[in-house]
Amino acid sequence: MAQTMPNFLRKRAYLTPERPAISYFNQQLSFRELYDRSLQVAGSLAALGVKKRSLTGVLVKNSLESAVFLYALQLLGSTAVMLNNRLSAAELSFQLSDAKAEFLIYEHTFKDLAYEASGKVSKVKMFPLEDLAGGDVTDVPIEQELSLDDVCTIMYTSGTTGNPKGVLQTYGNHFWSASASALNLGLSQDDTWLCSVPIFHISGFSILMRSVIYGMHIVLHSHFDAKKSLEDIEAKKVTIMSVVGTTLTRIVDELGDGRLPEHFRCMLLGGGPAPLPLLEACRSRNIPVFQTYGMTETASQSVTLAPEYSLEKLGSAGKPLFPVSLKIELQDGREAAEGEAGEILLKGPNVTPGYLNRPEETAKKIVDGWLHTGDIGFLDEEGFLYVLDRRSDLIISGGENIYPAEIESVLLSHPGVKEAGVTGLPNSEWGQVPAAFVVLVEEAGPSADELRHYCQEKLAKYKVPREFYFAKELPRNASNKLLRRKLAELIEEAGK
Ligand code: ATP
Ligand code: MG
């Protein structure tokens, strides 16, 4: 029989009602207030017909109301289908019908988008978020106990390698993910986590879950702003913040020669490969960066670099968290030796049971409990993971494996380069050759010859891009991730 636990928010409000739960601009709620507000919203939702296991589409941005609403869904046991508010109507429409969502709750700023997206989806019932406050709290059918196998959220992958897939995330996945993070980073009563990453994405949602599971205060921002982040780290005594490469870069720029306050203990850096120049810039400013590797399918972090290794193992994503197992598998199914690159496989209670309505894809990706991540990496002699790249982006040139991320990292270390993307182009002699797509800081920046020369100094000859194309911007998805599979389309547009 599936294991159960008391409803997370209800239990938290019972254990530590007076502790601060969430701050948003100048508003702050304790766990008791958070519970009371969520109960009202749950009352309104129940009146609309939302109940246990209802699939509820969620089109919101970071705000106090959105957080309260997400907790309200958990009080009722309804599954949240998290929608990325930067998607187009057609993309949202795909996800809503793929999930067969029964309800769609949208924030009023997304009203037009919501109506356009739902136009082609039959039977979805739509309600604005703003109308849910102040519901009747008598007889709200609260789920007193949660089954750890019940699906709390469905989150679509970013769609970097193809169409996004709906990942099932159970209460057990979230509980174990939060526990694993605490076992690694430690937990103090003074911890306050700054969340400026989107709460519809696992990076932000996992912070909401940690808050109720730990009894921890979170400072929620509507969006990322480097100046505001630094102000709140100081004023609201933030100790931990989740960042991606681009946002950390902006914090470092904003900080200039300054220092973060003593109480600040962790920049959790995830989302993609971290460029070495950024890690070095943080090292020189004593910014404590914890590199981490994770994905929607593992309900956030799975592998994290403990701080005592951050200098010695620069560039490594670290070791698997306590409940997580990791191995590297070669193409023929054998386990890789030390230093040998292969596909990263992960196993643990934070790993999804599978993809929504995709039994074949699930069976292919999860074999005997091992998630095939589609990422390539290797373990060094001490068991530290180095993530090289995605398997689908690997370039094979004259039998040699080339990882675009390595070349992009070199290009990004050039002061004249703002963005860089590398992909393989077909070549009759070598099969494929690497080509670079570059956005310059200033138009009158380095020439193709200069960049070629720069790469020749730092990379083996076969890795030096054959062609350099200059572009105004690179193709990115709604999570701002580089779409390498679309780079070649720039060739016609870009001046060579
Ligand atoms: P899709 O699966 O639809 O192509 P996606 O994989 O980009 O989209 P996410 O789950 O948001 O969707 O991203 C997880 C991926 O991000 C990982 O599988 C990995 O490729 C990349 N990633 C995350 N952390 C790191 C890291 N520390 N180093 C390198 N890559 C990372
Ligand atoms: Mg993926």
Side-chain angles (χ1 to χ4, degrees):
M1 212 177 87
Q3 285 177 319
T4 60
M5 278 177 75
N7 192 298
F8 292 171
L9 175 59
R10 194 162 179 273
K11 176 79 171 185
R12 175 47 61 197
Y14 160 70
L15 289 175
T16 55
E18 305 306 333
R19 275 197 212 164
I22 182 164
S23 295
Y24 183 70
F25 289 95
N26 51 8
Q27 293 168 273
Q28 190 181 72
L29 300 182
S30 65
F31 282 104
R32 185 205 306 279
E33 290 163 332
L34 180 63
Y35 178 72
D36 290 346
R37 293 265 297 258
S38 304
L39 193 63
Q40 290 176 7
V41 172
S44 301
L45 287 165
L48 296 174
V50 176
K51 54 184 191 299
K52 187 173 165 70
R53 301 220 168 89
S54 298
L55 291 175
T56 306
V58 173
L59 184 59
V60 299
K61 55 184 191 315
N62 284 16
S63 72
L64 193 60
E65 284 68 33
S66 305
V68 166
F69 159 60
L70 289 170
Y71 290 124
L73 288 177
Q74 293 181 35
L75 290 180
L76 296 173
S78 161
T79 301
V81 181
M82 308 293 246
L83 300 165
N84 182 332
N85 62 37
R86 296 178 60 202
L87 292 175
S88 68
E91 290 167 313
L92 287 173
S93 197
F94 165 81
Q95 295 186 8
L96 281 171
S97 41
D98 185 69
K100 300 193 178 65
E102 294 163 58
F103 299 90
L104 172 60
I105 308 293
Y106 59 90
E107 217 168 285
H108 77 273
T109 34
F110 302 126
K111 185 175 177 191
D112 293 346
L113 182 63
Y115 272 88
E116 206 185 326
S118 64
K120 298 182 199 80
V121 188
S122 59
K123 287 198 203 136
V124 62
K125 300 185 200 89
M126 298 173 52
F127 299 97
L129 175 70
E130 290 72 13
D131 290 1
L132 299 177
D136 183 0
V137 296
T138 44
D139 297 332
V140 186
I142 300 297
E143 284 300 303
Q144 308 284 346
E145 285 196 339
L146 302 167
S147 161
L148 293 188
D149 288 345
D150 270 349
V151 179
C152 172
T153 38
I154 294 171
M155 240 174 240
Y156 281 79
T157 58
S158 301
T160 311
T161 50
N163 251 344
K165 300 176 288 282
V167 176
L168 307 174
Q169 296 165 336
T170 63
Y171 284 97
N173 292 152
H174 290 302
F175 178 76
W176 278 104
S177 168
S179 306
S181 177
L183 290 173
N184 180 47
L185 300 179
L187 189 60
S188 134
Q189 275 238 24
D190 298 329
D191 273 335
T192 295
W193 203 306
L194 173 55
C195 175
S196 59
V197 282
I199 55 174
F200 56 73
H201 187 263
I202 189 59
S203 55
F205 188 78
S206 59
I207 302 175
L208 295 185
M209 295 308 278
R210 289 180 200 122
S211 171
V212 285
I213 294 168
Y214 304 167
M216 176 184 70
H217 181 204
I218 61 180
V219 173
L220 183 67
H221 283 185
S222 56
H223 61 283
F224 171 77
D225 179 318
K227 196 155 172 270
K228 178 110 175 67
S229 302
L230 289 177
E231 275 168 23
D232 272 5
I233 287 176
E234 189 81 51
K236 296 192 174 157
K237 297 263 180 302
V238 168
T239 56
I240 310 179
M241 177 177 184
S242 297
V243 287
V244 296
T246 46
T247 53
L248 184 56
T249 305
R250 277 151 65 190
I251 287 179
V252 171
D253 290 347
E254 183 70 32
L255 196 59
D257 293 332
R259 286 280 181 273
L260 291 176
E262 280 286 305
H263 63 251
F264 187 84
R265 66 183 186 93
C266 167
M267 282 289 182
L268 193 64
L269 171 63
L276 283 184
L278 173 63
L279 296 177
E280 277 156 6
C282 290
R283 179 170 61 178
S284 70
R285 286 173 181 77
N286 281 335
I287 300 176
V289 176
F290 293 60
Q291 259 227 82
T292 170
Y293 166 71
M295 59 209 71
T296 316
E297 288 90 336
T298 62
S300 163
Q301 312 164 62
S302 259
V303 180
T304 301
L305 189 64
E308 57 264 46
Y309 297 108
S310 60
L311 306 183
E312 190 192 327
K313 299 284 180 183
L314 203 66
S316 164
K319 290 183 178 175
L321 299 181
F322 195 82
V324 179
S325 305
L326 184 154
K327 65 180 176 183
I328 307 288
E329 192 178 89
L330 301 173
Q331 287 247 319
D332 61 9
R334 277 183 308 124
E335 200 169 331
E338 270 168 24
E340 209 177 359
E343 183 172 11
I344 303 168
L345 269 53
L346 295 169
K347 190 178 193 170
N350 58 324
V351 171
T352 176
Y355 298 106
L356 178 70
N357 304 330
R358 283 185 176 74
E360 280 170 24
E361 188 84 17
T362 302
K364 234 172 27 197
K365 292 273 276 188
I366 305 171
V367 183
D368 297 332
W370 286 98
L371 171 73
H372 288 60
T373 63
D375 293 318
I376 303 178
F378 67 89
L379 293 171
D380 74 3
E381 66 292 348
E382 289 170 285
F384 285 86
L385 175 71
Y386 288 78
V387 183
L388 293 170
D389 226 314
R390 292 175 188 263
R391 199 166 65 171
S392 56
D393 291 341
L394 182 71
I395 303 169
I396 303 177
S397 187
E400 296 279 5
N401 286 350
I402 301 177
Y403 301 103
E406 185 188 1
I407 306 173
E408 287 161 6
S409 177
V410 166
L411 287 166
L412 285 170
S413 70
H414 190 291
V417 173
K418 193 163 136 206
E419 292 178 45
V422 169
T423 189
L425 295 181
N427 180 277
S428 53
E429 192 180 353
W430 304 104
Q432 277 184 307
V433 287
F437 296 78
V438 176
V439 180
L440 296 176
V441 177
E442 287 168 20
E443 228 170 276
S447 65
D449 276 347
E450 272 174 79
L451 290 178
R452 184 172 294 111
H453 189 71
Y454 187 75
C455 289
Q456 279 163 347
E457 282 175 0
K458 295 178 192 297
L459 292 167
K461 204 169 156 197
Y462 68 94
K463 295 181 189 171
V464 175
R466 276 299 177 89
E467 308 286 351
F468 288 84
Y469 298 93
F470 295 100
K472 288 213 164 44
E473 59 177 12
L474 300 183
R476 292 186 183 271
N477 63 21
S479 305
N480 211 26
K481 289 196 181 189
L482 178 65
L483 294 175
R484 295 200 187 108
R485 63 194 156 90
K486 294 206 166 160
L487 282 172
E489 293 170 18
L490 287 179
I491 295 179
E492 280 171 23
E493 300 156 32
K496 204 168 136 183

